[in-house]
Amino acid sequence: EAGVTQFPSHSVIEKGQTVTLRCDPISGHDNLYWYRRVMGKEIKFLLHFVKESKQDESGMPNNRFLAERTGGTYSTLKVQPAELEDSGVYFCASSQDLRSANEQFFGPGTRLTVL
Amino acid sequence: AQSVTQLGSHVSVSEGALVLLRCNYSSSVPPYLFWYVQYPNQGLQLLLKYTTGATLVKGINGFEAEFKKSETSFHLTKPSAHMSDAAEYFCAVRGNFGNEKLTFGTGTRLTIIP
């Protein structure tokens, strides 16, 4: 069974440009999460989808970030326009259902560098 | 609100020595606690988790952790370090149903000295 995949693995863009990150969860997983790790700091929650609906987007930093999950399958996270402080590693995770303590499976992350 | 504190951003141990990575948490509800490991160029992999029941939890690769409610701790241990244990380790806490997001500590990078 394929794990969580993320594309691209690395992205280097200039301030003001737009970048779109993609996450493909494990097949059949209704829950999809985005997290971000800024260098040297903790991994922070961004948002949580249940199928195509946003369950919790309390961690989204500002309106330059837009996440979508059309059809409840893969998800995209768009940053527009990118700022220097957006640099970091963006992780995606998925889980099968909302039973207590159900494991979240993580992808390898996308390393975003904004110059 | 929940929070996690990992003491020591870098820990070095000799091969064969005890590994002890510290994690303290804060939670207003009975927590679910996790340890994840990240090897270079890979995603986070679950090592072990505590939900309810036995407070000593065994995970993969010989790691274990003990939930101590009175100390609000969930320290990770391994009796004998192996070179392959070199990685970054993350402690995380999540709440109950309706609050599934993970709150992570800042991570501890473990180096194994030959």
Side-chain angles (χ1 to χ4, degrees):
Chain A
E1 179 181 321
V4 177
T5 57
Q6 293 186 244
F7 182 83
S9 56
H10 294 82
S11 180
V12 181
I13 61 172
E14 293 189 350
K15 176 182 173 181
Q17 290 186 321
T18 298
V19 63
T20 300
L21 313 181
R22 173 171 171 144
C23 169
D24 286 79
I26 293 172
S27 177
H29 281 195
D30 287 340
N31 296 280
L32 188 148
Y33 306 81
W34 283 99
Y35 294 85
R36 176 175 73 170
R37 189 184 193 196
V38 172
M39 184 177 291
K41 298 195 174 181
E42 69 272 28
I43 300 168
K44 284 195 170 180
F45 167 82
L46 295 178
L47 88 160
H48 169 204
F49 283 100
V50 178
K51 297 184 179 179
E52 67 274 10
S53 300
K54 293 177 184 176
Q55 176 82 4
D56 180 355
E57 51 184 330
S58 61
M60 294 287 266
N62 52 60
N63 58 11
R64 295 186 295 103
F65 289 75
L66 175 63
E68 295 181 322
R69 193 182 182 197
T70 306
T73 54
Y74 70 91
S75 174
T76 58
L77 180 65
K78 180 190 288 187
V79 185
Q80 179 182 30
E83 298 289 345
L84 299 179
E85 63 265 26
D86 301 332
S87 296
V89 180
Y90 290 76
F91 292 102
C92 176
S94 71
S95 68
Q96 189 166 19
D97 57 43
L98 293 180
R99 285 175 301 167
S100 59
N102 200 33
E103 178 182 352
Q104 293 181 24
F105 294 85
F106 281 77
T110 293
R111 182 174 296 278
L112 174 64
T113 302
V114 182
L115 302 176
Chain B
Q2 298 171 318
S3 66
V4 174
T5 301
Q6 291 185 240
L7 292 177
S9 57
H10 291 82
V11 171
S12 296
V13 301
S14 298
E15 189 175 15
L18 171 72
V19 175
L20 171 61
L21 304 183
R22 299 179 185 275
C23 172
N24 288 86
Y25 70 91
S26 172
S27 177
S28 58
V29 298
Y32 299 130
L33 295 159
F34 304 80
W35 275 100
Y36 281 86
V37 60
Q38 185 180 23
Y39 299 103
N41 301 316
Q42 296 185 27
L44 280 74
Q45 180 182 2
L46 183 67
L47 269 180
L48 50 80
K49 65 182 179 184
Y50 169 79
T51 55
T52 58
T55 57
L56 182 62
V57 181
K58 295 185 184 300
I60 61 172
N61 302 336
F63 284 93
E64 62 183 36
E66 186 171 11
F67 170 60
K68 292 187 177 181
K69 184 178 179 180
S70 61
E71 299 177 7
T72 61
S73 69
F74 191 57
H75 302 330
L76 182 70
T77 61
K78 181 174 180 178
S80 177
H82 191 271
M83 295 300 294
S84 61
D85 295 327
E88 192 160 18
Y89 293 78
F90 297 91
C91 183
V93 63
R94 58 156 279 189
N96 293 323
F97 188 86
N99 182 17
E100 289 77 27
K101 64 185 178 187
L102 293 170
T103 300
F104 286 89
T106 51
T108 298
R109 185 167 297 280
L110 177 65
T111 300
I112 310 298
I113 304 167

